[in-house]
C-alpha cells in the first residue's frame, strides 16, 4: 500500500483546518464578540473577553504548531515543482511564508501575558487582513502548482 497519498491528504487537512480555526477564532474575537457584547456592562465584557482570550491562546498555539509541521511537509513534497518555475513559485511560496510568520508573530505578541497590549484591536485587524492575503496567496500557489507542476 502506497502511504504517500494518505500523507499528502493528511498534511493538506492539517494545514487547512488549523488555518480555518485560527481565522474563524480571530474573526470571532475581533468582530463578532465585540458587537455581541456591546450592551453588556464593561466589567462583564472584559471578564468574558479575557476568558475567551485565554482559550483562544491555546487554540492559536496548537494551530501554529500544526501549520508549521504541515507546511514544512508540503514544502518538502512540492519543492521539485516549485523549482520548475522559480520566479513564480518561489515568489508565491516566499510571500506566503513571510506573511504567515508575520501573522504568527503578531498573534504571539497579542496573546502574550494576561492582558492584551493597548493597540490590540488595530493589530488584530491587521492580522485579519494579512490572513486574507495569505489565503489568496495559498490559492494562487495551489493553482500554479496544478497548472505548472509537471515535474515528471
Amino acid at each position: 500500500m502506497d502511504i504517500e497519498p494518505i500523507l499528502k491528504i493528511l498534511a493538506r487537512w492539517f494545514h487547512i483546518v488549523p488555518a480555518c480555526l485560527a481565522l474563524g477564532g480571530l474573526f470571532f474575537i475581533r468582530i463578532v464578540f465585540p458587537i455581541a457584547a456591546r450592551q453588556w456592562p464593561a466589567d462583564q465584557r472584559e471578564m468574558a473577553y479575557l476568558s475567551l482570550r485565554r482559550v483562544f491562546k491555546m487554540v492559536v498555539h496548537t494551530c501554529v504548531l500544526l501549520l508549521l509541521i504541515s507546511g514544512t511537509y508540503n514544502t518538502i513534497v512540492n519543492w521539485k515543482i516549485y523549482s520548475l518555475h522559480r520566479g513564480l513559485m518561489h515568489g508565491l511560496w516566499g510571500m506566503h511564508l513571510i506573511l504567515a510568520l508575520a501573522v504568527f508573530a503578531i498573534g504571539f505578541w497579542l496573546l502574550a501575558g494576561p492582558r492584551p497590549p493597548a493597540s490590540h484591536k488595530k493589530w488584530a485587524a491587521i492580522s485579519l487582513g494579512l490572513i486574507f492575503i495569505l489565503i489568496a496567496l495559498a490559492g494562487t500557489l495551489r493553482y500554479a502548482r496544478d497548472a505548472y507542476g509537471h515535474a515528471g
Side-chain angles (χ1 to χ4, degrees):
M1 179 175 149
D2 187 13
I3 195 157
E4 187 177 347
I6 295 168
L7 287 174
K8 285 182 177 181
I9 291 168
L10 286 174
R12 194 137 192 72
W13 193 79
F14 281 116
H15 207 70
I16 292 171
V17 171
C20 291
L21 291 174
L23 170 60
L26 180 58
F27 186 82
F28 176 82
I29 208 163
R30 175 62 185 96
I31 307 293
V32 175
F33 177 77
I35 293 170
R38 198 177 338 195
Q39 296 175 359
W40 297 0
D43 61 329
Q44 287 181 352
R45 188 171 52 240
E46 182 179 9
M47 187 173 63
Y49 173 75
L50 292 175
S51 180
L52 282 169
R53 186 175 173 274
R54 279 189 297 276
V55 174
F56 185 54
K57 183 186 299 191
M58 291 183 284
V59 170
V60 166
H61 288 169
T62 303
C63 288
V64 167
L65 176 64
L66 291 172
L67 286 165
L68 288 171
I69 292 168
S70 60
T72 300
Y73 175 81
N74 289 333
T75 297
I76 291 167
V77 166
N78 291 301
W79 198 253
K80 188 173 181 181
I81 295 169
Y82 294 163
S83 296
L84 291 176
H85 298 278
R86 260 197 179 98
L88 174 66
M89 299 291 203
H90 287 211
L92 292 170
W93 176 84
M95 283 305 300
H96 185 77
L97 177 64
I98 289 167
L99 287 180
L101 293 174
V103 168
F104 296 164
I106 293 168
F108 288 153
W109 172 64
L110 290 177
L111 294 169
R115 297 189 161 283
S119 58
H120 72 99
K121 290 180 182 178
K122 175 181 89 171
W123 283 101
I126 289 169
S127 188
L128 203 52
L130 290 176
I131 291 171
F132 285 119
I133 294 168
L134 271 167
I135 292 168
L137 282 169
T140 306
L141 181 59
R142 177 62 193 233
Y143 172 80
R145 273 199 331 246
D146 290 347
Y148 306 114
H150 306 291

